[in-house]
Amino acid sequence: MLKEMAAPEKTAPCSSAGLSNYFSADHPDEDKWADCVHCGMCLEACPTYLETGQEQHSPRGRVHLIKSVAEGKIQLKEQFADPVFQCLDCRACTTACPADVDVGGLIEEARGQVRQAMPLKGWKGAVSTFFLKGLFPHQERMHTVSGLLKFYQKSGLQKAVRTIGALKVMPDHLASMESIMPELQTPVQKKYKDVDVIPTKGVPKARVSMLTGCIMDVMFGDINQSTIDVLTHNDNEVTIPKKQTCCGALHVHAGDREKGRKLAKQNIEAFENSEKVVVNAAGCGCALKEYPELFKDEPQWKERAEVFAEKVEDISKYLYDTGYEKPRSSLNKKITYHDACHLAHGQGVRHEPRQLLKDIPGVEYTELSNADTCCGSAGIYNITNPEMAEAVLDRKMENVPEDVEMISMGNPGCMLQMAMGVRKYGRKSEIVHTVQLLDWAYQKDEQNAGLEKSIAVAGEEEA
Amino acid sequence: MGTKEVPQEPRKDTSVSLADAFGNRGAEVLTPKSEEEIAEILQKANQEGKKIAVEGGGSKRGYGGTKEHYDYTLSMAGNKGVVEHKVGDMTVTVRAGTTITELQDFLQEHNQMISIHPNWPDQATIGGVIAANESGPKRLKYGSARDLVIGLRVVYPDGEIIRTGAKVVKNVAGYDMNKLFVGSMGTLGVITEVTMKLRPKPKCESLVQVSVPEEKLQDLKDLAVRVQDSMIEPVSLELLNTALSKKIINQEAYTLLIAFEDVEKSCRYQEEWIYKHKPEGADVEVIHQQEAHHFWKTFKNLEPSGLTAPAFEETQAVIKIGSKNMDVYEIMKESAGIEAGVKVEAHGGLGHGISYYTLSGPERKVISAIQHLRRTAEEKKGYAIVKHLPYHLRDEIDVWGKKTSYFFLFEGIKRTIDPKNTLNHQRFIGGI
Amino acid sequence: MFGSKKRKKPQRDPHINKLIEIVGEKEVLYEDADLLSYDCDGFTVHKAMPKAVVFPANTEEVAAIVRYCSTNNIPFLARGAGTGLSGGAIPLNREVIISLVKMKHLLSVDYENRQAVVQPGFVNLKLTNSISDKGYYYAPDPSSQYVCTIGGNVAENAGGAHCLKYGVTTNHILGLEVVLPNGEIIEISEAGVPDSPGYDVMGLLTGSEGTLGVVTKITVRILKNPEGKQTVLAYFDHIEDGSRAVSDIISAGIVPAALEMMDKTAIEGVEAGAYPVGHPDDIEALLLIEVDGIKAGISEQIEEILNVCRGRNVREVKVAESEEERGRWWANRKTGFGAMGAISPDYLVQDGVIPRSRLPEVLENIYEISRESGLRIANIFHAGDGNLHPLILFDSRKPGETEKALKAGTACLKACSDVGGSITGEHGVGIEKKEEMRFVFTDEELEAQIKIREVFNPDDLLNKGKLFPTPSRCMDVKKIVKDTVAVQ
């Protein structure tokens, strides 16, 4: 019975009016749920609802629960935590909602509350601590890991491990994640550590700063390199502020808002002098843009966060808005595009990356059906909620045509997850970042130009 | 009517021979002039345990019913006239005894129409058409009575007057009680007033008749499939068998009637389309406006009815078959197997799944033809009911076919509304 | 359940154990925190907790659940996506909710016979999406079609913007499989054959708001896409001219696919919402008119519509020049309700229907109700079929305003029924408009309907307390409404 539930078993964390069973600091924002009219238009957009069919795992159900805690109907316990943490944080509901309810924001606030009430234990806690506290915020440790991983790959150990099946000692889903680890490149942070401004070839038209990201830089250093190359190719000088750190998205998703704030402050300071902050990881970009959300109780920081958020732009949108050279060389591939949730739903960037792809000669573009449905990666969701993540991935893969040669996207998490999908279904499609394709086309342009030049020179010589 | 006794001065019955042939006839005919009178008659009869047969124009006297005699015939002939019509509302409220022709003539002046086109429009009343759920070939586009009736006034057997629906075209307040009375064969209540959705009278009408010799019947099916798969929007896709074609358009061939009702440009465009896609060797005739009108008028008066004096030497029956759309074709093809000696005139809608078969011939052969058709229909998950047959044969062959598995719901509904079986007793399925 | 940990189980109700036996552990919710999400549907004024929510996977499981409930005298009801706007799926009697969302498959499509068979949990728009590559669609298009289920559509006899020409759900249902309240499975017109002999039980079930049976399979009619489509937008300086133009268009013998109207307040709302079109802010009304059909014939009808509008002093009238423009006009209209959020913290939507020709006077009455109550009312509605949606704008935080809004809503329905209209065109009665049923039906007429319910549902265990006013319960509802703060 509700009444029994409402009767506090221990002491209610907070009893201030209107908040009922929430802690007073940084509680879910009443104005956010007040907009929800419970119309249900979000249901079909929500991957976890589609999978479970149960409304507590739907956006409006979660909002209803978040509201119910405030109304004193339920407590910050497992039955509340479960649906709130099952959320992929994909924001598809935000797009579907006619009343613009910020479900994502509410969920993150609610997670913060849950983590205060019931800290994580067990292996989930361990994994979480390892990734979120021990690793991501520390560039040097990330680089060490990167070094180790690289050693692991290059030494042939990886091959050996894979062959002899030592992976079996790891939990299944971690094993399958390991199997899709990309070949590692040198992180750009490391590579450009002594360079202040990466110059353009021609006359610079703008100077932008780049967020290198943690996973991106460690696992996909080549994508960061491509990003730099594409930016400079289009006459943008690039800086990589040294003090930047992890964006904190994963911490905020996991309910560790305190750590999130700490990282946010560091980044805000690190990019204080930048005019534009270009990001190639959708999840990071979205998190940076949402920094103001973290500082409801710190007005000064909130203001700084707002100024900062204004400067943040996804690489595809930045290129689209400021203009880019259309490549002349052909990439003759059949390509489709997967909308990273935090790009499409989180930042409203849908058209721009598609246009980039379509501007590359020879690209046979096919639209993916349900392109903006989550792939199940969702930060470290695929590590913490493997079953659901896999179910969501299965649904995603159903929509990927067998004959596409490349699946392009704008987020490293998605890239790992989709790589798992491709592998699981025995597909041949390559997983690429949109900006890589542009970079490769430019490289081809240069090669061709070089070739033409040498032919021309040769011709002249002959004459 | 006030306190006067009912029945007062029963109208003398003059058509004894018809009554004898088709049954469903009361010992006395009552022709009340108002709804109050109807209510009083019903209430009294109900109290006294009398049985009433309800009748409009009498065209469906041969439709269902295993009772030869009732105590009264309640004739609706005295309840005529349009109660309310607003052009801009596109709805009309009309008394149940108004004939289809009377109603259409009235609406015609306002360039509107009711879009059910049942048989025997000069005799059939709107109340009867709705109670029997009659429709015509154009239901492909316009739907049937259940799609068009938006409100009714019904007198219950106990004399209570119940309104169902409203005078609005969209309404979900309460149960959709209209549906209960549409097709209920007058077994639940007496419909006194009908409110229907109207359609604008089409600006242009045309009818394309595509005929092929017997062995090329498949071509017509293929054409129908292509039509259905295209963007064109015919109001009918009625397939006629050779006997019926011969009778109406003097063509010894299967004929597909493809009708268009739209603005002129659309009609022409669609006629052209048919020309372009007509089967090789098919005979195509296009008629327009008055001519088309005239055709349909003839078409609607072909089948025998309760008002047709039965021929002396032969038995006539009309069968209504419901099937999946394209099974209309299959069933017609198989109907060729009906034994010689029975004349079979058939038409059916390839887009709506309702077919009619008029059978004439020696009694026994007609009966076995009915059984043949019923078997064929039921094999295809359809049904065959006999909508016109002399009384003495209706006893022999169950005109409604087998009972459905949920027949108990029908019984329950009947028991709830008419516990004493006052109205049209045994007229309907399972002897309801 | 996915990733959820096993929870400590308190002593479980034996009925719950039985339900678990039928559908399995994962498919039954019974703990209060899980049940909370099911305490209301799209109508949020009233809330009540169910006993359990069960997720059957097939007809047999539904029948087993229903049989168990009926034998043990446990109230139960069926629920689809829970988007209903009248509270039809709210468990007033601690019902066992039978959620049909897991029966969500498209079972078959038969293009030649133009029919499709779906399970009740199949989402409306998915049907159209599944057959559109062949040029077909499913006509009923309620604005919740992205999420609402066809089973729910059958229960509510759902309408939509295009039902003016193509009819509502009941006109598109060819066959039903139903579990009756005693657990018996019946199949009505299994093959989708028309005019099934006997009383039209299918017609009765459609729109019965889940009180006569639980639909487990549906055969629907599918239609071919029209060849052409054109859309007109007309601005009027006077609302009366706009209303009269509606009637004139219909009188001119045109059957538009859709004929929608918005008044000044509504326009203010949509222009402040997510999809502004740039409508002038000083007009009193706009009409959005769509004609479809054979391409060759459309322009003629459009010309006629333009003439009708000009005859009614239209300020500006234009035809959409591209699919993109047409899309923008429709997005602006279809998100209209949600957009009201931009100009008011709360709104209450009503659903009255009137004869088209009475539009001017009824609108005037509604404005009078607005003046009297001191609340703004926006009108955004299906003018073509006289289905009004007055949106009563209010602020639930202001004391007394919720009650005022509810009263104004009732007054709007009264204004509709007074001209021979209805209290609901597509949202249903549910619990919201039970009392207002008296505006349109006499006690005898209500009794006649209740008697029909008793044939199907003699013990009133299935969705009890919906649709019909019952003296004692109505008082309760009114009281609860008064006590409730949150409205929409």
Side-chain angles (χ1 to χ4, degrees):
Chain A
M1 294 296 290
L2 277 182
K3 258 188 211 154
E4 290 158 25
M5 298 197 49
E9 285 170 28
K10 291 180 213 159
T11 350
C14 173
S15 53
S16 74
L19 300 169
S20 196
N21 291 342
Y22 283 122
F23 293 96
S24 60
D26 198 15
H27 58 81
D29 186 351
E30 207 175 335
D31 285 343
K32 283 189 190 133
W33 74 65
D35 290 346
C36 176
V37 296
H38 214 252
C39 67
M41 294 294 270
C42 51
L43 294 176
E44 286 294 307
C46 177
T48 57
Y49 175 77
L50 288 179
E51 214 43 59
T52 62
Q54 301 185 345
E55 287 211 19
Q56 74 275 28
H57 294 298
S58 78
R60 80 165 173 188
R62 292 181 176 115
V63 172
H64 200 57
L65 289 175
I66 289 169
K67 190 175 156 191
S68 298
V69 175
E71 286 169 352
K73 288 183 182 169
I74 47 172
Q75 295 197 354
L76 292 171
K77 293 189 148 195
E78 257 174 23
Q79 280 182 308
F80 175 70
D82 213 34
V84 160
F85 278 90
Q86 282 280 331
C87 171
L88 290 149
D89 218 328
C90 75
R91 310 286 172 93
C93 45
T94 314
T95 303
C97 180
D100 267 343
V101 175
D102 181 11
V103 186
L106 276 172
I107 293 279
E108 284 174 356
E109 287 160 354
R111 286 179 176 177
Q113 294 279 318
V114 171
R115 280 296 157 258
Q116 286 182 63
M118 38 190 294
L120 270 182
K121 288 179 219 128
W123 82 267
K124 270 193 194 183
V127 167
S128 171
T129 314
F130 170 67
F131 280 105
L132 300 181
K133 296 223 168 93
L135 198 58
F136 289 151
H138 305 282
Q139 303 283 344
E140 73 294 352
R141 290 191 207 163
M142 286 293 285
H143 294 163
T144 316
V145 173
S146 146
L148 281 175
L149 277 171
K150 210 185 301 179
F151 169 75
Y152 168 69
Q153 288 182 335
K154 296 273 167 252
S155 65
L157 192 61
Q158 179 182 48
K159 210 173 164 192
V161 167
R162 285 181 189 172
T163 339
I164 61 175
L167 280 175
K168 280 176 191 149
V169 298
M170 289 163 96
D172 275 356
H173 61 282
L174 287 185
S176 54
M177 290 206 64
E178 192 278 345
S179 66
I180 46 91
M181 291 284 185
E183 286 282 320
L184 297 177
Q185 310 289 327
T186 315
V188 295
Q189 279 257 5
K190 225 172 176 179
K191 195 165 158 191
Y192 294 103
K193 72 173 188 289
D194 300 325
V195 184
D196 286 333
V197 178
I198 306 164
T200 60
K201 280 196 192 113
V203 186
K205 66 176 180 191
R207 178 180 292 181
V208 301
S209 299
M210 186 173 142
L211 181 93
T212 56
C214 327
I215 301 182
M216 197 54 120
D217 210 24
V218 172
M219 292 202 178
F220 299 103
D222 51 338
I223 296 176
N224 272 349
Q225 188 58 57
S226 287
T227 307
I228 292 168
D229 292 347
V230 166
L231 281 168
T232 51
H233 185 99
N234 286 294
D235 305 327
N236 297 286
E237 293 173 330
V238 179
T239 67
I240 302 175
K242 304 285 175 296
K243 278 191 183 152
Q244 63 174 292
T245 182
C246 170
C247 67
L250 300 180
H251 305 81
V252 176
H253 293 336
D256 188 355
R257 294 171 72 80
E258 206 36 61
K259 185 78 195 171
R261 270 188 281 272
K262 218 169 140 191
L263 296 170
K265 285 178 181 170
Q266 190 178 333
N267 276 327
I268 292 170
E269 278 170 345
F271 288 96
E272 199 97 68
N273 297 321
S274 308
E275 276 177 33
K276 202 82 203 165
V277 181
V278 173
V279 188
N280 58 12
C284 304
C286 189
L288 300 185
K289 283 182 172 231
E290 288 173 358
Y291 276 177
E293 281 286 311
L294 293 169
F295 297 108
K296 277 183 302 194
D297 301 330
E298 292 174 73
Q300 255 184 330
W301 274 104
K302 189 178 164 84
E303 209 172 293
R304 288 177 78 179
E306 276 163 359
V307 173
F308 170 76
E310 278 299 303
K311 299 192 278 196
V312 177
E313 205 74 270
D314 183 74
I315 176 72
S316 64
K317 183 158 183 350
Y318 178 77
L319 290 170
Y320 184 88
D321 289 350
T322 57
Y324 56 94
E325 189 197 331
K326 290 182 186 165
R328 296 175 305 280
S329 308
S330 297
L331 288 183
N332 295 314
K333 295 279 181 195
K334 187 165 184 178
I335 297 179
T336 191
Y337 176 77
H338 157 70
D339 283 291
C341 296
H342 287 90
L343 206 48
H345 304 300
Q347 303 180 57
V349 176
R350 294 163 181 269
H351 172 69
E352 296 84 348
R354 286 178 169 80
Q355 197 53 50
L356 290 188
L357 292 175
K358 288 174 188 166
D359 277 343
I360 300 172
V363 165
E364 187 192 336
Y365 181 79
T366 28
E367 186 63 34
L368 198 60
S369 57
N370 297 323
D372 65 352
T373 305
C374 183
C375 61
S377 158
I380 55 165
Y381 187 96
N382 48 5
I383 299 173
T384 55
N385 301 52
E387 286 174 57
M388 178 66 85
E390 189 164 355
V392 171
L393 176 61
D394 288 344
R395 202 178 273 269
K396 183 86 215 177
M397 288 308 294
E398 281 167 19
N399 287 313
V400 179
E402 299 237 3
D403 61 340
V404 296
E405 293 164 274
M406 288 176 164
I407 310 171
S408 168
M409 61 204 76
N411 192 46
C414 301
M415 293 180 73
L416 288 171
Q417 179 80 347
M418 291 298 284
M420 269 212 284
V422 164
R423 203 182 134 86
K424 181 177 170 188
Y425 285 84
R427 300 286 183 77
K428 300 272 180 293
S429 325
E430 240 180 289
I431 308 297
V432 292
H433 191 288
T434 313
V435 81
Q436 280 182 299
L437 288 169
L438 200 55
D439 183 35
W440 294 339
Y442 287 152
Q443 284 179 25
K444 236 178 160 182
D445 282 353
E446 272 164 34
Q447 282 169 14
N448 290 344
L451 203 64
E452 272 164 34
K453 210 171 166 189
S454 55
I455 290 170
V457 172
E460 269 167 36
E461 275 172 9
E462 266 174 37
Chain B
M1 177 138 175
T3 54
K4 273 182 259 171
E5 284 273 301
V6 279
Q8 213 191 17
E9 279 174 82
R11 195 185 69 185
K12 284 281 170 267
D13 182 20
T14 50
S15 52
V16 180
S17 64
L18 281 178
D20 286 349
F22 296 113
N24 291 330
R25 189 64 158 170
E28 288 180 66
V29 178
L30 309 175
T31 313
K33 293 280 183 294
S34 70
E35 190 179 63
E36 295 81 57
E37 276 183 60
I38 295 169
E40 280 178 50
I41 292 170
L42 259 58
Q43 194 186 8
K44 190 157 187 291
N46 198 46
Q47 261 168 18
E48 293 171 358
K50 297 281 205 277
K51 306 287 183 212
I52 291 179
V54 191
E55 187 174 284
S59 60
K60 297 169 194 68
R61 208 175 289 157
Y63 196 169
T66 47
K67 264 173 97 81
E68 189 163 19
H69 296 293
Y70 290 76
D71 296 311
Y72 306 113
T73 285
L74 181 74
S75 166
M76 295 301 288
N79 267 270
K80 275 181 192 294
V82 170
V83 179
E84 193 181 333
H85 173 243
K86 278 225 175 74
V87 181
D89 287 345
M90 284 284 243
T91 59
V92 70
T93 301
V94 60
R95 290 197 188 87
T98 314
T99 67
I100 300 298
T101 304
E102 286 164 349
L103 180 53
Q104 295 288 36
D105 286 350
F106 170 84
L107 294 169
Q108 161 117 20
E109 287 173 29
H110 305 281
N111 272 321
Q112 295 183 344
M113 64 172 186
I114 54 161
S115 55
I116 26 180
H117 303 86
N119 282 342
W120 300 103
D122 295 344
Q123 288 82 21
T125 60
I126 186 71
V129 163
I130 283 159
N133 191 17
E134 290 280 274
S135 57
K138 295 178 185 172
R139 73 181 271 164
L140 169 59
K141 173 153 183 192
Y142 298 127
S144 62
R146 79 193 289 281
D147 302 309
L148 303 168
V149 172
I150 55 173
L152 296 172
R153 283 179 77 94
V154 181
V155 183
Y156 267 31
D158 62 1
E160 200 79 70
I161 295 162
I162 299 294
R163 296 164 309 150
T164 66
K167 291 175 182 175
V168 289
V169 295
K170 201 171 164 198
N171 182 12
V172 295
Y175 294 144
D176 190 354
M177 295 284 278
N178 293 319
K179 300 284 188 291
L180 195 53
F181 299 98
V182 175
S184 68
M185 293 300 287
T187 55
L188 297 177
V190 176
I191 298 171
T192 56
E193 222 176 84
V194 180
T195 305
M196 295 183 79
K197 277 197 236 185
L198 300 175
R199 297 278 307 196
K201 225 175 114 35
K203 290 175 180 154
C204 176
E205 288 178 55
S206 66
L207 174 65
V208 185
Q209 303 160 346
V210 184
S211 304
V212 299
E214 207 162 336
E215 64 278 9
K216 294 224 166 167
L217 176 56
Q218 171 77 33
D219 287 354
L220 286 188
K221 185 197 170 182
D222 294 345
L223 176 62
V225 170
R226 286 188 83 165
V227 168
Q228 293 264 64
D229 225 24
S230 74
M231 301 286 192
I232 69 169
E233 302 174 357
V235 297
S236 84
L237 261 182
E238 201 79 359
L239 181 63
L240 313 187
N241 75 350
T242 47
L244 191 57
S245 290
K246 174 88 188 149
K247 190 167 180 174
I248 329 181
I249 55 169
N250 201 22
Q251 284 262 15
E252 189 90 37
Y254 281 98
T255 302
L256 189 61
L257 302 178
I258 310 169
F260 299 108
E261 299 188 349
D262 205 326
V263 295
E264 196 179 338
K265 272 188 191 159
S266 300
C267 287
R268 297 292 166 269
Y269 168 81
Q270 296 179 93
E271 291 159 19
E272 277 303 310
W273 193 97
I274 301 292
Y275 260 121
K276 257 185 242 157
H277 295 86
K278 72 172 177 131
E280 216 187 294
D283 194 85
V284 179
E285 181 89 25
V286 187
I287 54 176
H288 297 109
Q289 304 297 87
Q290 278 313 313
E291 216 183 333
H293 226 264
H294 185 76
F295 173 91
W296 288 116
K297 202 170 170 186
T298 315
F299 188 86
K300 284 185 276 193
N301 287 293
L302 287 175
E303 278 166 15
S305 85
L307 299 168
T308 332
F312 208 63
E313 67 291 356
E314 66 170 17
T315 297
Q316 286 191 309
V318 181
I319 320 299
K320 174 183 178 181
I321 295 178
S323 68
K324 286 192 185 184
N325 297 353
M326 283 300 162
D327 283 344
V328 165
Y329 162 84
E330 299 294 336
I331 293 168
M332 191 171 287
K333 210 166 72 177
E334 282 179 40
S335 75
I338 289 175
E339 71 174 305
V342 181
K343 189 166 164 206
V344 183
E345 291 165 351
H347 64 94
L350 291 174
H352 62 66
I354 299 286
S355 317
Y356 296 96
Y357 286 74
T358 303
L359 309 171
S360 9
E363 187 174 295
R364 297 331 300 171
K365 287 194 171 183
V366 167
I367 293 290
S368 81
I370 294 173
Q371 281 154 347
H372 175 104
L373 285 172
R374 183 168 279 169
R375 267 195 311 277
T376 315
E378 286 176 358
E379 273 165 21
K380 299 184 190 313
K381 293 187 172 176
Y383 62 86
I385 59 176
V386 188
K387 58 170 268 184
H388 176 77
L389 194 69
Y391 170 73
H392 71 283
L393 292 172
R394 295 209 301 270
D395 233 3
E396 179 183 336
I397 188 161
D398 186 350
V399 300
W400 296 102
K402 62 178 177 198
K403 284 189 216 168
T404 54
S405 63
Y406 51 99
F407 180 70
F408 64 93
L409 288 173
F410 300 165
E411 284 178 308
I413 291 168
K414 173 76 176 175
R415 201 163 42 237
T416 295
I417 298 178
D418 185 14
K420 294 167 120 179
N421 294 318
T422 304
L423 285 173
N424 276 4
H425 187 213
Q426 294 180 359
R427 188 76 185 263
F428 201 18
I429 185 167
I432 283 180
Chain C
M1 221 177 311
F2 285 94
S4 68
K5 278 199 222 147
K6 289 276 167 291
R7 294 168 188 155
K8 249 193 296 168
K9 280 187 201 80
Q11 196 70 41
R12 233 164 35 192
D13 182 332
H15 291 315
I16 301 293
N17 288 332
K18 193 68 202 176
L19 293 171
I20 288 174
E21 256 174 53
I22 298 170
V23 293
E25 175 92 44
K26 285 198 317 199
E27 309 301 340
V28 181
L29 301 178
Y30 52 88
E31 291 184 43
D32 280 336
D34 292 338
L35 297 178
L36 256 181
S37 304
Y38 293 86
D39 69 359
C40 69
D41 53 19
F43 177 68
T44 56
V45 174
H46 194 106
K47 294 192 176 76
M49 290 285 276
K51 180 185 187 67
V53 185
V54 272
F55 298 87
N58 53 49
T59 306
E60 289 65 38
E61 287 184 2
V62 174
I65 296 160
V66 170
R67 259 197 312 276
Y68 182 77
C69 288
S70 104
T71 333
N72 293 281
N73 220 28
I74 303 166
F76 60 100
L77 62 83
R79 176 180 170 118
T83 56
L85 291 168
S86 54
I90 298 176
L92 294 172
N93 313 285
R94 216 162 159 78
E95 274 89 349
V96 166
I97 292 180
I98 302 172
S99 169
L100 295 160
V101 297
K102 295 210 169 163
M103 291 171 67
K104 57 173 176 184
H105 301 288
L106 172 60
L107 298 176
S108 63
V109 184
D110 178 351
Y111 291 103
E112 210 173 84
N113 290 304
R114 294 195 166 197
Q115 45 174 266
V117 183
V118 301
Q119 288 188 311
F122 193 60
V123 168
N124 176 303
L125 188 63
K126 281 198 176 161
L127 179 50
T128 293
N129 289 345
S130 311
I131 57 180
S132 61
D133 57 332
K134 291 241 172 36
Y136 285 82
Y137 75 110
Y138 175 60
D141 63 339
S143 22
S144 56
Q145 71 178 141
Y146 300 95
V147 290
C148 65
T149 64
I150 295 182
N153 293 168
V154 172
E156 299 293 316
N157 191 11
H162 290 82
C163 63
L164 172 58
K165 182 169 178 184
Y166 295 102
V168 293
T169 302
T170 193
N171 309 114
H172 298 272
I173 303 299
L174 298 172
L176 292 178
E177 181 189 75
V178 183
V179 175
L180 293 174
N182 64 1
E184 189 166 333
I185 303 167
I186 65 166
E187 190 120 29
I188 307 167
S189 185
E190 191 189 344
V193 170
D195 295 0
S196 187
Y199 299 131
D200 188 358
V201 172
M202 194 160 75
L204 267 178
L205 277 154
T206 309
S208 64
E209 305 195 17
T211 62
L212 300 183
V214 181
V215 171
T216 48
K217 196 168 78 184
I218 305 145
T219 307
V220 299
R221 172 180 290 126
I222 56 174
L223 299 179
K224 192 80 190 167
N225 285 328
E227 188 186 42
K229 219 176 245 183
Q230 277 201 39
T231 310
V232 174
L233 184 60
Y235 297 137
F236 293 89
D237 287 315
H238 300 285
I239 185 126
E240 185 159 346
D241 284 330
S243 324
R244 298 225 181 274
V246 170
S247 235
D248 289 355
I249 290 166
I250 303 287
S251 307
I254 299 162
V255 186
L259 175 39
E260 306 282 300
M261 186 164 173
M262 285 191 240
D263 70 358
K264 195 177 166 81
T265 312
I267 295 166
E268 184 192 329
V270 293
E271 286 302 299
Y275 299 92
V277 162
H279 303 310
D281 56 8
D282 58 342
I283 48 167
E284 272 193 11
L286 71 76
L287 292 181
L288 185 61
I289 311 152
E290 189 156 286
V291 177
D292 67 13
I294 301 295
K295 260 186 198 158
I298 291 181
S299 53
E300 191 179 325
Q301 297 176 60
I302 292 290
E303 202 43 55
E304 222 173 324
I305 288 171
L306 298 182
N307 283 333
V308 166
C309 291
R310 286 179 196 122
R312 288 292 177 189
N313 313 310
V314 71
R315 180 197 292 188
E316 189 189 346
V317 58
K318 51 187 173 183
V319 183
E321 276 168 13
S322 63
E323 189 51 36
E324 185 269 334
E325 188 170 31
R326 182 185 162 265
R328 276 195 297 121
W329 293 355
W330 272 113
N332 175 274
R333 160 64 187 91
K334 284 201 169 178
T335 54
F337 288 8
M340 292 307 134
I343 59 169
S344 170
D346 300 284
Y347 67 86
L348 186 73
V349 55
Q350 274 306 353
D351 180 37
V353 199
I354 54 162
R356 276 174 287 247
S357 61
R358 311 296 289 268
L359 199 51
E361 66 183 283
V362 174
L363 280 178
E364 189 38 55
N365 286 344
I366 290 175
Y367 293 133
E368 184 55 39
I369 292 165
S370 165
R371 281 189 289 271
E372 268 173 26
S373 62
L375 297 175
R376 298 219 291 163
I377 301 183
N379 285 287
I380 176 163
F381 58 100
H382 314 304
D385 34 38
N387 190 184
L388 303 181
H389 289 313
L391 293 143
I392 300 150
L393 311 182
F394 69 103
D395 187 342
S396 59
R397 290 167 299 193
K398 291 187 187 158
E401 230 174 81
T402 304
E403 291 73 31
K404 253 195 241 172
L406 287 167
K407 230 176 108 189
T410 303
C412 289
L413 294 185
K414 189 80 176 66
C416 294
S417 53
D418 281 350
V419 296
S422 170
I423 56 166
T424 174
E426 53 189 11
H427 297 171
V429 176
I431 52 179
E432 186 201 16
K433 295 181 273 285
K434 274 161 54 160
E435 198 48 37
E436 283 80 2
M437 281 286 272
R438 296 191 196 279
F439 292 170
V440 281
F441 294 116
T442 63
D443 285 351
E444 290 75 20
E445 287 159 355
L446 291 170
E447 190 53 34
Q449 297 188 32
I450 290 170
K451 278 190 165 162
I452 294 300
R453 182 187 68 202
E454 284 166 358
V455 173
F456 291 78
N457 182 14
D459 304 321
D460 200 12
L461 285 173
L462 175 56
N463 215 5
K464 185 182 166 124
K466 307 289 160 64
L467 262 172
F468 302 111
T470 35
S472 59
R473 222 182 344 255
C474 288
M475 302 288 286
D476 291 345
V477 170
K478 288 283 169 203
K479 187 179 170 297
I480 287 155
V481 163
K482 271 194 179 157
D483 294 344
T484 316
V485 206
V487 177
Q488 295 273 348

